Amino acid sequence: MRPTPRAETFPVNTPAASQVFTTVLSQGPLPRLEVARRVGLSPAAVTKAVRPLIEAGYLVEGVDEEARPALGRPANLVRVDGGRALFIGVKVTGDEIIGVLTDLCCRIRVARHLPLPGRDPRTVLASIAELTQKLLAETDGSTAPVLGLGIAVSGDVDRAEGTVRYSPFLEWRDVPLAELAAMTTGLPVTVDNDVRALTVAEQWFGAGVGLSDFAVVTVGAGIGCGLVVHGRVVAGAHGVAGEIGHVTVDPAGPLCHCGNRGCVEAIAGEAAILRQIREATGAELPDAEAALALAREGVAAARDVYARAGEAIGRGIATVANLLGPERVIISGEGLAAYDLFAEQIRDAFVAAAFGSAAQCDVRTHPLPFDEWARGAAATAIQSFIGPDPSR
Protein backbone atom coordinates (compact mmCIF):
# COMPACT_ATOMS: atom_id res chain seq x y z
CA MET A 1 0.00 0.00 0.00
CA ARG A 2 1.33 3.41 -0.93
CA PRO A 3 2.19 5.53 2.14
CA THR A 4 0.01 8.51 2.95
CA PRO A 5 1.46 11.69 1.39
CA ARG A 6 3.09 14.25 3.63
CA ALA A 7 0.99 17.11 4.92
CA GLU A 8 1.46 20.43 3.21
CA THR A 9 -0.19 23.80 3.61
CA PHE A 10 -0.74 26.54 1.08
CA PRO A 11 2.12 29.07 1.42
CA VAL A 12 -0.14 32.09 1.92
CA ASN A 13 -3.31 32.58 3.93
CA THR A 14 -4.41 36.14 3.30
CA PRO A 15 -7.67 36.85 1.47
CA ALA A 16 -5.80 38.93 -1.12
CA ALA A 17 -3.33 36.15 -1.92
CA SER A 18 -6.12 33.57 -2.18
CA GLN A 19 -8.04 35.90 -4.50
CA VAL A 20 -5.01 36.45 -6.71
CA PHE A 21 -4.28 32.73 -6.93
CA THR A 22 -7.90 31.81 -7.60
CA THR A 23 -8.12 34.40 -10.37
CA VAL A 24 -5.00 33.07 -12.08
CA LEU A 25 -6.21 29.50 -11.56
CA SER A 26 -9.60 30.06 -13.17
CA GLN A 27 -8.85 32.82 -15.68
CA GLY A 28 -5.13 32.68 -16.35
CA PRO A 29 -2.51 32.84 -17.69
CA LEU A 30 -2.59 36.61 -17.15
CA PRO A 31 -0.12 39.49 -16.97
CA ARG A 32 0.30 40.90 -13.47
CA LEU A 33 -1.34 44.18 -14.44
CA GLU A 34 -4.40 42.31 -15.67
CA VAL A 35 -4.52 40.29 -12.45
CA ALA A 36 -4.46 43.56 -10.51
CA ARG A 37 -7.31 44.97 -12.60
CA ARG A 38 -9.48 41.89 -12.18
CA VAL A 39 -9.07 41.54 -8.44
CA GLY A 40 -9.13 45.29 -7.71
CA LEU A 41 -5.68 45.43 -6.09
CA SER A 42 -2.66 47.60 -6.76
CA PRO A 43 0.18 46.14 -8.86
CA ALA A 44 2.37 46.27 -5.74
CA ALA A 45 -0.17 44.22 -3.77
CA VAL A 46 -0.32 41.63 -6.55
CA THR A 47 3.48 41.40 -6.65
CA LYS A 48 3.51 40.87 -2.87
CA ALA A 49 0.90 38.10 -3.18
CA VAL A 50 2.55 36.42 -6.15
CA ARG A 51 6.10 36.26 -4.79
CA PRO A 52 5.70 33.46 -2.20
CA LEU A 53 3.50 31.51 -4.60
CA ILE A 54 6.22 31.57 -7.25
CA GLU A 55 8.87 30.67 -4.67
CA ALA A 56 6.79 27.67 -3.55
CA GLY A 57 6.23 26.55 -7.14
CA TYR A 58 2.47 27.08 -7.29
CA LEU A 59 2.76 29.89 -9.81
CA VAL A 60 5.21 30.30 -12.67
CA GLU A 61 5.87 33.35 -14.78
CA GLY A 62 7.20 33.45 -18.30
CA VAL A 63 7.14 35.16 -21.65
CA ASP A 64 4.16 34.66 -23.94
CA GLU A 65 5.81 34.80 -27.35
CA GLU A 66 2.46 34.63 -29.15
CA ALA A 67 1.27 37.79 -27.39
CA ARG A 68 4.26 39.89 -28.50
CA PRO A 69 3.10 43.46 -29.10
CA ALA A 70 4.03 45.35 -32.23
CA LEU A 71 6.64 47.27 -30.26
CA GLY A 72 8.49 46.47 -27.05
CA ARG A 73 9.06 43.29 -25.12
CA PRO A 74 6.66 40.30 -25.07
CA ALA A 75 4.26 40.09 -22.16
CA ASN A 76 5.12 38.08 -19.03
CA LEU A 77 2.22 35.88 -18.01
CA VAL A 78 1.54 34.36 -14.60
CA ARG A 79 0.01 30.85 -14.61
CA VAL A 80 -0.61 28.01 -12.20
CA ASP A 81 1.72 25.03 -12.36
CA GLY A 82 -0.95 22.31 -12.47
CA GLY A 83 1.57 19.57 -11.77
CA ARG A 84 2.63 21.12 -8.46
CA ALA A 85 -0.03 19.19 -6.48
CA LEU A 86 -2.61 16.45 -6.94
CA PHE A 87 -6.11 15.97 -5.53
CA ILE A 88 -8.66 13.17 -5.39
CA GLY A 89 -12.39 13.60 -5.90
CA VAL A 90 -15.04 10.98 -5.14
CA LYS A 91 -18.73 11.04 -6.09
CA VAL A 92 -20.92 8.63 -4.13
CA THR A 93 -24.10 7.35 -5.78
CA GLY A 94 -26.56 4.75 -4.61
CA ASP A 95 -24.82 1.87 -6.37
CA GLU A 96 -21.26 2.94 -7.22
CA ILE A 97 -18.55 5.43 -6.40
CA ILE A 98 -16.62 7.35 -9.02
CA GLY A 99 -13.14 8.65 -8.28
CA VAL A 100 -10.76 10.91 -10.15
CA LEU A 101 -7.18 12.00 -9.66
CA THR A 102 -6.68 15.60 -10.78
CA ASP A 103 -3.89 18.10 -10.88
CA LEU A 104 -4.05 21.53 -9.24
CA CYS A 105 -5.93 22.90 -12.27
CA CYS A 106 -8.55 20.18 -11.77
CA ARG A 107 -7.62 18.38 -14.97
CA ILE A 108 -8.52 14.70 -14.68
CA ARG A 109 -5.50 12.41 -14.93
CA VAL A 110 -7.16 9.13 -13.97
CA ALA A 111 -10.78 8.08 -13.43
CA ARG A 112 -11.99 4.91 -11.72
CA HIS A 113 -15.44 3.44 -11.00
CA LEU A 114 -16.10 0.99 -8.18
CA PRO A 115 -19.38 -0.88 -7.50
CA LEU A 116 -20.86 -0.13 -4.10
CA PRO A 117 -21.75 -3.41 -2.34
CA GLY A 118 -23.87 -1.67 0.30
CA ARG A 119 -25.04 1.75 1.43
CA ASP A 120 -24.30 1.68 5.15
CA PRO A 121 -21.55 4.14 6.19
CA ARG A 122 -19.03 1.41 7.09
CA THR A 123 -19.31 -0.20 3.65
CA VAL A 124 -19.16 3.13 1.81
CA LEU A 125 -16.11 4.22 3.81
CA ALA A 126 -14.33 0.96 2.98
CA SER A 127 -15.09 1.49 -0.71
CA ILE A 128 -13.87 5.11 -0.58
CA ALA A 129 -10.64 3.95 1.07
CA GLU A 130 -10.16 1.24 -1.56
CA LEU A 131 -10.76 3.64 -4.43
CA THR A 132 -8.49 6.27 -2.85
CA GLN A 133 -5.66 3.73 -2.60
CA LYS A 134 -6.14 2.77 -6.24
CA LEU A 135 -5.86 6.42 -7.25
CA LEU A 136 -2.87 7.01 -4.96
CA ALA A 137 -1.15 4.07 -6.65
CA GLU A 138 -1.53 5.91 -9.96
CA THR A 139 0.75 8.66 -8.65
CA ASP A 140 3.79 6.38 -8.33
CA GLY A 141 6.70 8.09 -10.03
CA SER A 142 5.21 11.54 -9.50
CA THR A 143 6.92 13.97 -7.14
CA ALA A 144 3.70 15.94 -6.68
CA PRO A 145 1.95 15.24 -3.36
CA VAL A 146 -1.75 14.42 -3.05
CA LEU A 147 -2.98 17.26 -0.84
CA GLY A 148 -6.67 16.60 -0.37
CA LEU A 149 -9.69 14.39 -0.89
CA GLY A 150 -13.10 15.77 -1.81
CA ILE A 151 -16.26 13.69 -1.41
CA ALA A 152 -19.56 14.64 -3.04
CA VAL A 153 -22.83 13.19 -1.71
CA SER A 154 -26.42 14.01 -2.61
CA GLY A 155 -28.69 15.45 0.06
CA ASP A 156 -28.32 17.81 3.01
CA VAL A 157 -24.59 18.17 3.67
CA ASP A 158 -22.96 20.50 6.19
CA ARG A 159 -19.60 21.25 4.60
CA ALA A 160 -18.30 23.26 7.54
CA GLU A 161 -18.85 20.31 9.90
CA GLY A 162 -18.12 17.64 7.29
CA THR A 163 -21.40 15.93 8.13
CA VAL A 164 -24.04 14.34 5.91
CA ARG A 165 -27.20 15.40 7.72
CA TYR A 166 -29.53 13.50 5.42
CA SER A 167 -29.01 11.67 2.14
CA PRO A 168 -32.19 10.06 0.80
CA PHE A 169 -30.39 7.91 -1.77
CA LEU A 170 -27.99 6.49 0.83
CA GLU A 171 -30.56 6.59 3.66
CA TRP A 172 -28.03 8.32 5.92
CA ARG A 173 -28.64 10.69 8.80
CA ASP A 174 -25.98 12.63 10.71
CA VAL A 175 -22.91 10.78 9.41
CA PRO A 176 -19.61 12.62 10.21
CA LEU A 177 -18.19 11.60 6.86
CA ALA A 178 -15.23 14.01 6.68
CA GLU A 179 -13.87 12.89 10.05
CA LEU A 180 -14.35 9.20 9.30
CA ALA A 181 -12.85 9.45 5.79
CA ALA A 182 -9.86 11.42 7.08
CA MET A 183 -9.14 8.69 9.64
CA THR A 184 -9.57 6.01 6.99
CA THR A 185 -7.47 7.59 4.22
CA GLY A 186 -5.05 9.84 6.10
CA LEU A 187 -5.86 12.77 3.79
CA PRO A 188 -7.47 16.14 4.53
CA VAL A 189 -11.13 15.66 3.54
CA THR A 190 -13.80 18.06 2.28
CA VAL A 191 -17.38 16.80 2.08
CA ASP A 192 -20.05 18.72 0.21
CA ASN A 193 -23.39 18.31 -1.51
CA ASP A 194 -22.79 16.92 -4.99
CA VAL A 195 -24.58 19.74 -6.83
CA ARG A 196 -22.68 22.42 -4.90
CA ALA A 197 -19.42 20.60 -5.66
CA LEU A 198 -20.30 20.55 -9.35
CA THR A 199 -21.07 24.27 -9.09
CA VAL A 200 -17.59 24.96 -7.67
CA ALA A 201 -16.06 23.17 -10.67
CA GLU A 202 -18.23 25.17 -13.08
CA GLN A 203 -17.33 28.41 -11.30
CA TRP A 204 -13.58 27.88 -11.40
CA PHE A 205 -13.06 25.66 -14.42
CA GLY A 206 -16.25 25.54 -16.50
CA ALA A 207 -19.17 27.50 -17.91
CA GLY A 208 -19.32 29.86 -14.92
CA VAL A 209 -15.76 31.21 -15.10
CA GLY A 210 -15.75 34.99 -14.73
CA LEU A 211 -19.43 35.23 -13.75
CA SER A 212 -20.46 36.82 -10.46
CA ASP A 213 -23.98 35.38 -10.35
CA PHE A 214 -25.10 32.12 -11.94
CA ALA A 215 -26.87 28.86 -11.18
CA VAL A 216 -26.31 25.21 -12.05
CA VAL A 217 -29.48 23.11 -12.39
CA THR A 218 -29.02 19.35 -12.50
CA VAL A 219 -31.61 17.03 -14.00
CA GLY A 220 -31.59 13.30 -13.29
CA ALA A 221 -32.47 11.08 -10.34
CA GLY A 222 -33.22 14.32 -8.52
CA ILE A 223 -33.52 17.96 -9.53
CA GLY A 224 -30.76 20.01 -7.91
CA CYS A 225 -29.52 23.57 -8.04
CA GLY A 226 -26.24 25.20 -7.07
CA LEU A 227 -26.15 28.96 -6.64
CA VAL A 228 -23.33 31.47 -7.01
CA VAL A 229 -24.18 34.90 -5.63
CA HIS A 230 -21.64 37.75 -5.73
CA GLY A 231 -18.91 35.25 -6.57
CA ARG A 232 -19.63 32.82 -3.73
CA VAL A 233 -21.27 29.42 -3.80
CA VAL A 234 -24.04 29.75 -1.24
CA ALA A 235 -25.58 27.06 0.93
CA GLY A 236 -27.87 29.30 3.00
CA ALA A 237 -28.25 29.47 6.76
CA HIS A 238 -29.40 25.85 6.93
CA GLY A 239 -27.40 24.36 4.05
CA VAL A 240 -30.29 23.76 1.66
CA ALA A 241 -30.26 26.90 -0.53
CA GLY A 242 -31.13 26.13 -4.14
CA GLU A 243 -33.47 23.19 -3.56
CA ILE A 244 -35.61 23.95 -6.59
CA GLY A 245 -36.45 20.27 -6.84
CA HIS A 246 -38.84 20.92 -3.98
CA VAL A 247 -40.39 24.08 -5.34
CA THR A 248 -44.10 23.43 -5.85
CA VAL A 249 -45.16 24.05 -9.44
CA ASP A 250 -48.48 22.14 -9.35
CA PRO A 251 -50.27 22.06 -5.95
CA ALA A 252 -52.53 19.29 -7.25
CA GLY A 253 -49.63 17.31 -8.67
CA PRO A 254 -48.14 13.98 -7.59
CA LEU A 255 -46.92 13.37 -4.05
CA CYS A 256 -43.22 13.98 -3.54
CA HIS A 257 -41.00 11.97 -1.21
CA CYS A 258 -40.53 15.20 0.78
CA GLY A 259 -44.23 15.08 1.73
CA ASN A 260 -45.48 17.91 -0.49
CA ARG A 261 -47.35 17.71 -3.78
CA GLY A 262 -46.35 18.89 -7.22
CA CYS A 263 -42.66 19.54 -6.56
CA VAL A 264 -40.45 19.86 -9.64
CA GLU A 265 -38.73 16.60 -8.65
CA ALA A 266 -42.06 14.78 -8.24
CA ILE A 267 -42.82 15.60 -11.88
CA ALA A 268 -39.41 15.71 -13.58
CA GLY A 269 -37.14 13.43 -11.55
CA GLU A 270 -36.04 10.21 -13.24
CA ALA A 271 -38.15 7.95 -11.00
CA ALA A 272 -41.18 10.23 -11.39
CA ILE A 273 -40.95 10.16 -15.18
CA LEU A 274 -40.62 6.37 -15.19
CA ARG A 275 -43.63 5.96 -12.89
CA GLN A 276 -45.81 8.36 -14.90
CA ILE A 277 -44.97 6.66 -18.22
CA ARG A 278 -45.75 3.24 -16.75
CA GLU A 279 -49.12 4.56 -15.52
CA ALA A 280 -49.90 6.35 -18.80
CA THR A 281 -48.99 3.48 -21.13
CA GLY A 282 -49.45 0.36 -19.04
CA ALA A 283 -46.05 -0.81 -20.28
CA GLU A 284 -43.79 -2.89 -18.02
CA LEU A 285 -40.72 -0.68 -18.25
CA PRO A 286 -37.64 -1.84 -16.30
CA ASP A 287 -35.83 1.46 -16.11
CA ALA A 288 -35.49 5.06 -17.28
CA GLU A 289 -33.65 4.02 -20.44
CA ALA A 290 -36.63 1.94 -21.51
CA ALA A 291 -38.97 4.88 -20.82
CA LEU A 292 -36.78 7.14 -22.93
CA ALA A 293 -36.74 4.61 -25.77
CA LEU A 294 -40.54 4.40 -25.69
CA ALA A 295 -40.85 8.17 -25.99
CA ARG A 296 -38.36 8.24 -28.85
CA GLU A 297 -40.47 5.63 -30.65
CA GLY A 298 -43.17 8.28 -30.78
CA VAL A 299 -45.57 6.97 -28.13
CA ALA A 300 -47.68 10.06 -27.43
CA ALA A 301 -48.41 9.32 -23.76
CA ALA A 302 -44.69 8.91 -23.03
CA ARG A 303 -43.79 12.07 -24.89
CA ASP A 304 -46.46 13.97 -22.94
CA VAL A 305 -44.81 12.96 -19.67
CA TYR A 306 -41.48 14.37 -20.83
CA ALA A 307 -43.22 17.54 -22.01
CA ARG A 308 -44.75 18.04 -18.55
CA ALA A 309 -41.34 17.41 -17.00
CA GLY A 310 -39.85 20.14 -19.19
CA GLU A 311 -42.56 22.58 -18.13
CA ALA A 312 -41.88 21.85 -14.47
CA ILE A 313 -38.12 22.34 -14.92
CA GLY A 314 -38.69 25.59 -16.82
CA ARG A 315 -40.88 26.96 -14.03
CA GLY A 316 -38.30 25.96 -11.45
CA ILE A 317 -35.55 27.75 -13.37
CA ALA A 318 -37.80 30.82 -13.68
CA THR A 319 -38.17 30.84 -9.90
CA VAL A 320 -34.38 31.00 -9.56
CA ALA A 321 -34.19 33.80 -12.17
CA ASN A 322 -36.96 35.80 -10.50
CA LEU A 323 -35.42 35.53 -7.02
CA LEU A 324 -31.72 35.99 -7.80
CA GLY A 325 -31.41 37.40 -11.33
CA PRO A 326 -28.40 35.26 -12.35
CA GLU A 327 -26.44 36.06 -15.48
CA ARG A 328 -26.61 32.43 -16.57
CA VAL A 329 -28.33 29.16 -15.71
CA ILE A 330 -26.40 26.03 -16.68
CA ILE A 331 -28.50 22.88 -17.07
CA SER A 332 -26.61 19.63 -16.58
CA GLY A 333 -27.02 16.10 -15.23
CA GLU A 334 -27.65 12.62 -16.61
CA GLY A 335 -31.27 13.59 -17.39
CA LEU A 336 -30.02 15.62 -20.35
CA ALA A 337 -30.07 12.38 -22.31
CA ALA A 338 -33.75 13.23 -22.88
CA TYR A 339 -33.14 16.91 -23.59
CA ASP A 340 -34.52 16.72 -27.13
CA LEU A 341 -37.88 15.63 -25.66
CA PHE A 342 -38.34 18.59 -23.34
CA ALA A 343 -35.97 21.38 -24.40
CA GLU A 344 -38.73 23.41 -26.05
CA GLN A 345 -40.99 23.08 -23.01
CA ILE A 346 -38.21 24.18 -20.64
CA ARG A 347 -37.60 27.30 -22.70
CA ASP A 348 -41.29 28.16 -23.18
CA ALA A 349 -42.16 27.65 -19.50
CA PHE A 350 -39.12 29.65 -18.41
CA VAL A 351 -39.98 32.60 -20.65
CA ALA A 352 -43.63 32.52 -19.56
CA ALA A 353 -42.84 32.44 -15.83
CA ALA A 354 -39.76 34.69 -15.71
CA PHE A 355 -40.62 38.22 -14.68
CA GLY A 356 -39.50 41.15 -16.81
CA SER A 357 -35.81 41.25 -17.60
CA ALA A 358 -35.22 37.97 -15.73
CA ALA A 359 -36.26 36.30 -19.01
CA GLN A 360 -32.99 37.61 -20.52
CA CYS A 361 -31.02 35.15 -18.39
CA ASP A 362 -28.70 33.03 -20.52
CA VAL A 363 -30.04 29.47 -20.16
CA ARG A 364 -27.68 26.89 -21.64
CA THR A 365 -27.01 23.17 -21.40
CA HIS A 366 -23.71 21.59 -20.41
CA PRO A 367 -23.89 17.78 -20.49
CA LEU A 368 -21.46 16.23 -18.02
CA PRO A 369 -20.62 12.55 -17.35
CA PHE A 370 -20.41 11.24 -13.79
CA ASP A 371 -16.62 11.64 -13.88
CA GLU A 372 -17.26 15.39 -13.88
CA TRP A 373 -19.24 15.10 -10.65
CA ALA A 374 -16.19 13.50 -9.07
CA ARG A 375 -14.11 16.32 -10.54
CA GLY A 376 -16.44 18.69 -8.71
CA ALA A 377 -15.53 16.93 -5.47
CA ALA A 378 -11.85 17.41 -6.31
CA ALA A 379 -12.55 21.10 -6.93
CA THR A 380 -13.88 21.47 -3.38
CA ALA A 381 -10.69 19.87 -2.06
CA ILE A 382 -8.62 22.34 -4.09
CA GLN A 383 -10.79 25.17 -2.81
CA SER A 384 -10.30 24.08 0.82
CA PHE A 385 -6.54 23.79 0.33
CA ILE A 386 -6.18 27.27 -1.16
CA GLY A 387 -8.13 29.18 1.45
CA PRO A 388 -10.46 29.02 4.43
CA ASP A 389 -13.63 26.96 4.04
CA PRO A 390 -16.00 29.35 2.23
CA SER A 391 -18.99 27.91 4.07
CA ARG A 392 -17.75 29.17 7.42
Side-chain angles (χ1 to χ4, degrees):
M1 182 178 291
R2 193 177 188 273
T4 300
R6 63 186 174 85
E8 183 174 333
T9 57
F10 199 55
V12 292
N13 57 9
T14 65
S18 294
Q19 186 181 16
V20 167
F21 185 80
T22 301
T23 299
V24 176
L25 178 65
S26 61
Q27 302 174 39
L30 295 168
R32 291 194 191 192
L33 286 176
E34 181 60 19
V35 174
R37 187 188 71 79
R38 296 193 186 192
V39 301
L41 296 173
S42 68
V46 169
T47 294
K48 182 178 179 181
V50 161
R51 185 179 298 115
L53 292 167
I54 291 177
E55 291 173 352
Y58 288 96
L59 292 179
V60 294
E61 188 172 25
V63 171
D64 180 10
E65 295 289 349
E66 295 181 1
R68 182 185 296 274
L71 297 173
R73 296 181 300 174
N76 281 337
L77 298 185
V78 181
R79 63 175 176 84
V80 172
D81 180 2
R84 174 61 177 79
L86 303 174
F87 295 83
I88 292 173
V90 172
K91 157 69 173 169
V92 182
T93 75
D95 53 14
E96 72 170 344
I97 57 175
I98 303 99
V100 296
L101 178 70
T102 79
D103 66 10
L104 182 56
C105 294
C106 216
R107 294 177 293 228
I108 295 176
R109 292 191 171 190
V110 182
R112 293 282 184 270
H113 292 228
L114 195 66
L116 200 57
R119 298 182 181 182
D120 62 285
R122 187 186 300 273
T123 300
V124 173
L125 276 166
S127 295
I128 289 173
E130 180 183 350
L131 186 58
T132 298
Q133 287 301 324
K134 288 180 182 293
L135 292 170
L136 286 172
E138 296 285 352
T139 68
D140 285 341
S142 171
T143 58
V146 177
L147 298 181
L149 165 64
I151 304 174
V153 180
S154 66
D156 182 358
V157 180
D158 185 335
R159 173 167 167 171
E161 298 297 328
T163 299
V164 180
R165 292 190 187 128
Y166 174 55
S167 178
F169 295 112
L170 295 173
E171 299 178 345
W172 284 5
R173 287 191 181 275
D174 299 321
V175 176
L177 184 58
E179 178 184 356
L180 295 173
M183 289 190 297
T184 303
T185 66
L187 292 169
V189 176
T190 301
V191 175
D192 208 344
N193 168 270
D194 55 353
V195 178
R196 283 201 300 269
L198 187 65
T199 303
V200 171
E202 289 296 281
Q203 180 187 25
W204 282 15
F205 309 106
V209 169
L211 299 182
S212 175
D213 300 270
F214 72 94
V216 175
V217 173
T218 57
V219 179
I223 308 295
C225 181
L227 302 173
V228 173
V229 179
H230 298 314
R232 294 175 65 87
V233 178
V234 297
H238 305 290
V240 292
E243 283 289 348
I244 71 164
H246 298 288
V247 170
T248 298
V249 293
D250 180 5
L255 185 67
C256 182
H257 65 80
C258 74
N260 294 318
R261 285 194 173 274
C263 295
V264 176
E265 192 165 302
I267 299 170
E270 189 175 85
I273 289 174
L274 178 58
R275 185 192 68 252
Q276 292 172 89
I277 292 179
R278 283 171 174 167
E279 293 172 353
T281 65
E284 294 293 331
L285 302 171
D287 51 34
E289 288 74 16
L292 179 58
L294 194 66
R296 290 231 168 93
E297 290 171 6
V299 176
R303 295 181 71 87
D304 287 345
V305 170
Y306 279 104
R308 287 195 297 273
E311 291 173 3
I313 295 167
R315 290 174 189 163
I317 293 173
T319 299
V320 173
N322 290 341
L323 288 174
L324 298 174
E327 300 169 67
R328 179 174 297 159
V329 173
I330 303 157
I331 307 174
S332 190
E334 67 274 19
L336 285 186
Y339 191 67
D340 58 301
L341 295 173
F342 52 49
E344 183 179 351
Q345 288 79 10
I346 290 177
R347 169 55 65 180
D348 289 348
F350 169 75
V351 171
F355 176 74
S357 59
Q360 298 175 14
C361 175
D362 175 24
V363 178
R364 62 174 62 181
T365 59
H366 190 192
L368 295 170
F370 262 126
D371 289 357
E372 293 295 322
W373 291 76
R375 179 174 177 259
T380 67
I382 295 170
Q383 186 182 57
S384 293
F385 175 69
I386 291 171
D389 187 335
S391 63
R392 290 188 183 275

